[in-house]
Amino acid sequence: VQLQACGGGLVQPGGSLRLSCAASRSISSINVMGWYCQAPGKQRELVAAITSGSSTNYADSVKGRFTISRDNAKNTVYLQMNSPKPEDTAVYYCKAQYVSATSLTLNYWGQGTLVTVSS
């Protein structure tokens, strides 16, 4: 599956931004969709994830500020970023994780979209 992330840009602290990740095929069978971020000089880390059953998981640093959601009809996952902080500045990647009936795990990554939080 191919993933196309978009929606990044410059946002002021305390503002809002929504990232979108569109998949090339149905995501209803994708076990977990997630957003990761990678700041310069740092490792890529999980921001938020959502399962096929819509259970969510967030990094402590974004809890209460960011919301992940999925629209299976549009094959799209979103990351609503409210009240972003300068430390949220990073390239954001979406990932799709598929686990087959034989427990084979396949991970697919999007190309990344840059989010800059600055006044």
Side-chain angles (χ1 to χ4, degrees):
V1 59
Q2 294 181 325
L3 303 173
Q4 181 72 36
C6 63
L10 176 64
V11 60
Q12 292 187 342
S16 64
L17 196 67
R18 189 176 80 160
L19 306 183
S20 300
C21 175
S24 60
R25 66 168 182 82
S26 173
I27 64 170
S28 59
S29 62
I30 300 293
N31 300 85
V32 184
M33 299 289 297
W35 284 97
Y36 290 71
C37 70
Q38 187 168 20
K42 295 187 177 181
Q43 291 187 331
R44 192 173 298 185
E45 57 185 20
L46 176 69
V47 177
I50 185 167
T51 69
S52 56
S54 295
S55 295
T56 57
N57 181 44
Y58 295 92
D60 288 342
S61 60
V62 306
K63 284 181 180 177
R65 299 188 297 120
F66 293 5
T67 302
I68 188 171
S69 61
R70 61 193 291 167
D71 186 335
N72 289 345
K74 295 182 178 180
N75 299 328
T76 301
V77 175
Y78 304 96
L79 183 69
Q80 179 67 41
M81 305 172 67
N82 295 332
S83 300
K85 303 176 181 179
E87 50 264 41
D88 295 323
T89 294
V91 177
Y92 284 73
Y93 299 89
C94 62
K95 184 180 107 171
Q97 183 179 77
Y98 173 73
V99 182
S100 73
T102 58
S103 299
L104 174 66
T105 299
L106 298 173
N107 293 311
Y108 304 91
W109 290 91
Q111 85 288 2
T113 184
L114 176 63
V115 174
T116 302
V117 185
S118 175
S119 55

